[in-house]
Amino acid sequence: MSGEQVGLLVDGALFTLWLTLGGAAIGLVLAFLAGLARVSSSKVLRAIGFVYVEFFRGAAVLVLAFWFVYAMPMLGWQFEPVFAGMVALGLNIGAYAAEIVRGAIQSVPVNQYEAALAMNFSSWQRMRRVVLPQALVAMIPPFSNNIIELLKASAVVSVVSIPELAFNGQLIWSGNGQAAAVFGGLLVMYGALALIFTIIMRLLERRAARSVGRQPDPGWWTRLRRRSEVPA
Amino acid sequence: MEGTKEPMTEATSAAPVRAHDGNGEFIKFAEVSKRFGSNVVLDDLSFSVGAGERVTLIGPSGSGKTTILRMLMTLLRPDSGTISVNGEYLFHEERGGQLVTASESHIRRVRSKITMVFQQFNLFPNMRVLRNVTEAPVHVLGKPKDEAAERAKELLALVGLGEKLDAYPSQLSGGQQQRVAIARALAVDPDVLLLDEVTSALDPELAAEVLDVLRDIAKTTDVTMLLVTHAMKFARDVSHRVLMFNQGKIIEDRPPEEMFNEPRHERTQSFLRSVIDET
Ligand SMILES: Nc1ncnc2c1ncn2[C@@H]1O[C@H](COP(=O)(O)OP(=O)(O)OP(=O)(O)O)[C@@H](O)[C@H]1O
Ligand SMILES: [Mg+2]
């Protein structure tokens, strides 16, 4: 591959990274809003959360991206493709993650809620100070699956002409015909990106475990080092 | 009987409906009924507790002792009847000259005088010991942080945990956790402290530590206490009155010496025998 082609792949990887981060940020906000709505005492909020989750869990990211880029302008809203891609990804992953938020909140033992009420916290304080910090620990591992899913789904939005990794890969391939080299390279790059996200999420997970006084599992690095310290 | 203190809370400007007056009725249950499905747990129950009084509830399993405490803590609502604390209804308020179901904000205001220590401690695992104790004073009562921390340290020293301020609950023994829970409850300056079998989850040795702390608190404060316990010697030492429950009714209500030495009711006699046999 030429230097120019490698440059294209790097640019593509940056777009992919950008789409994933943007989609994750939008998805995270939506997940918390919808997840909290689903456990709220208000029927209306619960219904809104339910409709959002059910609708966008089923909505194909591909179709959402088309919708924002080609259909919305006809209704008078112009979306820039990268932003449209992020929104499409965020709406979809947010619906999955909302269920994680809800499940994690509901997994906090009811006696924590009761203790918080006995301390006379308001209902928002109970959520914010007692329940959510504990629920967060349970959310992080499934969130890290979500973010990998999001990374892979970002390839789909290349259809609205976002020059991300998969898009640029196809571009190079149509120029040089070297399928094995090009797509092999892409797999490695997606793998590397996934690894970076996994490592970051593992660090967050350990941090969250510590924040509730749990000793996090030692990571593989610590375990390896410990083993090497054992005297022969 | 001692325990006639002035109610600690100042009169509210909104002139609450007075359910009753007098320190003899600081807590008042009037014709309270509660059922779960077809299981009638409390049946038209009426009793009252004076300000500063310490009252132990005893009775067989399922007789409704926990239900009473949980209603006072507003974790459960009665099906009928009224509960009032310091002259204010817990679940009712006056609107347009009528008693109506209380709003959340009314309940929260009346609840501010009441707190509870649970059998399973229920400390907040996401907070270190000190913050477990300061969180409500700071965020509910609006105390300045340093003032709340000072008071929390005093209370934690009182329960013998002055050295554990930075530990997480998961790093403490059950007895230590329960003592933190007691400090946490006292930190909100309650008028009413509810204790539901607070030593039942503990080994005898650890239970003894917790009971000693509670004896101390009973001696040095005038907080009104409702306790459910199987530790009969402790109940005898700290309480002014013992109420014997059976099937949702009070069948005997007497000072501890009398209750334990010469129970009148046959049901009380057999209950006390069974508890003493157990321990
Ligand atoms: N949430 C609930 N749903 C259904 N039934 C309940 C509930 N809480 C309590 N009960 C029932 O109400 C009755 C009284 O329970 P309660 O916990 O008040 O008894 P208790 O006197 O505290 O007993 P114990 O000494 O075993 O703690 C029991 O028959 C119990 O099964
Ligand atoms: Mg009970």
Side-chain angles (χ1 to χ4, degrees):
Chain A
M1 264 190 284
S2 69
E4 190 193 347
Q5 288 169 339
V6 171
L8 264 178
L9 282 187
V10 171
D11 285 351
L14 288 175
F15 266 104
T16 292
L17 190 66
W18 186 225
L19 279 169
T20 306
L21 289 175
I26 293 169
L28 195 65
V29 171
L30 290 171
F32 272 92
L33 290 176
L36 285 169
R38 293 212 61 183
V39 297
S40 133
S41 55
S42 146
K43 255 198 183 119
V44 178
L45 287 178
R46 282 205 305 272
I48 293 173
F50 176 80
V51 170
Y52 165 72
V53 167
E54 292 307 321
F55 184 80
F56 283 100
R57 212 157 45 160
V61 172
L62 180 78
V63 180
L64 281 174
F66 276 130
W67 171 264
F68 282 109
V69 176
Y70 302 117
M72 289 296 255
M74 297 174 67
L75 305 173
W77 283 289
Q78 199 68 47
F79 273 87
E80 195 266 320
V82 174
F83 182 65
M86 286 177 184
V87 172
L89 290 166
L91 280 169
N92 181 252
I93 211 72
Y96 282 98
E99 287 297 272
I100 293 170
V101 171
R102 179 175 72 98
I105 287 173
Q106 288 173 338
S107 75
V108 174
V110 67
N111 67 26
Q112 285 293 308
Y113 159 87
E114 292 179 346
L117 187 130
M119 300 317 289
N120 209 18
F121 288 120
S122 68
S123 58
W124 171 241
Q125 286 174 328
R126 293 197 289 266
M127 184 54 75
R128 151 90 177 64
R129 301 192 171 277
V130 176
V131 175
L132 271 185
Q134 295 179 50
L136 209 56
V137 186
M139 289 178 209
I140 293 176
F143 274 176
S144 73
N145 284 334
N146 278 171
I147 205 161
I148 303 297
E149 288 300 321
L150 184 61
L151 170 69
K152 292 186 289 182
S154 72
V156 166
V157 302
S158 61
V159 292
V160 291
S161 332
I162 300 172
E164 46 68 78
L165 203 47
F167 184 93
N168 285 1
Q170 289 178 54
L171 200 68
I172 297 167
W173 172 53
S174 65
N176 68 9
Q178 297 172 353
V182 173
F183 294 120
L186 282 194
L187 285 175
V188 170
M189 293 188 83
Y190 274 109
L193 287 172
L195 187 63
I196 293 170
F197 282 119
T198 304
I199 290 171
I200 293 171
M201 294 303 283
R202 278 294 290 167
L203 290 175
L204 284 178
E205 193 183 328
R206 289 158 61 80
R207 208 191 138 113
R210 238 173 282 135
S211 78
V212 292
R214 253 188 255 155
Q215 197 64 259
D217 296 347
W220 58 269
W221 177 244
T222 317
R223 243 177 280 153
L224 216 70
R225 260 198 335 212
R226 261 192 220 147
R227 191 158 310 157
S228 66
E229 278 161 17
V230 173
Chain B
M1 192 169 298
E2 61 158 87
T4 45
K5 65 161 189 181
E6 286 301 308
M8 285 193 248
T9 39
E10 66 280 39
T12 39
S13 51
V17 200
R18 305 298 293 190
H20 54 79
D21 294 306
N23 290 336
E25 298 190 328
F26 193 68
I27 297 169
K28 182 171 180 177
F29 277 59
E31 291 153 22
V32 171
S33 296
K34 178 74 189 174
R35 55 166 70 205
F36 294 103
S38 62
N39 179 8
V40 178
V41 178
L42 300 179
D43 182 14
D44 233 4
L45 176 74
S46 298
F47 73 97
S48 46
V49 173
E53 240 189 322
R54 294 186 292 274
V55 175
T56 298
L57 317 184
I58 61 171
S61 182
S63 59
K65 307 175 301 285
T66 295
T67 303
I68 289 168
L69 262 49
R70 289 172 64 81
M71 277 198 221
L72 259 174
M73 194 62 260
T74 71
L75 292 167
L76 279 179
R77 275 172 189 265
D79 297 330
S80 62
T82 60
I83 301 172
S84 47
V85 175
N86 194 17
E88 283 194 85
Y89 289 112
L90 204 46
F91 296 104
H92 303 83
E93 63 184 320
E94 196 189 39
R95 235 179 276 138
Q98 269 192 318
L99 264 197
V100 295
T101 305
S103 62
E104 190 48 46
S105 69
H106 171 92
I107 294 177
R108 190 164 179 233
R109 186 170 55 77
V110 182
R111 184 168 59 209
S112 68
K113 304 167 188 142
I114 308 167
T115 193
M116 183 160 179
V117 179
F118 298 85
Q119 186 174 350
Q120 296 298 336
F121 335 131
N122 301 358
L123 292 180
F124 305 128
N126 55 314
M127 302 177 197
R128 292 171 197 270
V129 164
L130 185 67
R131 233 186 99 205
N132 258 280
V133 182
T134 58
E135 194 74 352
V138 171
H139 296 287
V140 177
L141 305 179
K143 271 197 190 178
K145 270 207 175 108
D146 45 353
E147 198 179 299
E150 271 322 295
R151 175 81 180 126
K153 284 176 193 167
E154 277 171 35
L155 288 167
L156 285 165
L158 180 79
V159 300
L161 290 171
E163 309 293 298
K164 296 283 185 187
L165 307 181
D166 289 326
Y168 277 102
S170 58
Q171 299 162 340
L172 301 179
S173 74
Q176 292 172 327
Q177 289 187 52
Q178 193 59 299
R179 285 182 282 146
V180 174
I182 291 167
R184 176 176 73 171
L186 293 176
V188 295
D189 292 324
D191 288 357
V192 178
L193 183 59
L194 307 171
L195 304 155
D196 190 5
E197 302 199 29
V198 296
T199 57
S200 301
L202 300 173
D203 292 340
E205 223 171 300
L206 302 183
E209 293 173 357
V210 171
L211 293 180
D212 282 344
V213 163
L214 288 174
R215 277 199 181 87
D216 220 37
I217 289 161
K219 229 177 282 163
T220 56
T221 71
D222 54 4
V223 63
T224 306
M225 285 189 199
L226 257 70
L227 2 108
V228 176
T229 180
H230 294 299
M232 291 301 160
K233 180 164 182 329
F234 167 74
R236 185 192 297 240
D237 292 348
V238 302
S239 42
H240 301 115
R241 266 163 77 202
V242 179
L243 308 184
M244 170 72 194
F245 280 81
N246 195 37
Q247 300 182 336
K249 289 196 181 301
I250 296 172
I251 58 169
E252 232 174 306
D253 171 358
R254 302 165 67 200
E257 311 77 43
E258 293 179 21
M259 182 73 100
F260 294 127
N261 293 341
E262 52 213 59
R264 285 200 193 114
H265 208 286
E266 193 276 325
R267 192 71 192 84
T268 316
Q269 292 165 7
S270 64
F271 172 75
L272 287 174
R273 262 200 309 276
S274 72
V275 182
I276 288 158
D277 283 350
E278 256 174 45
T279 45

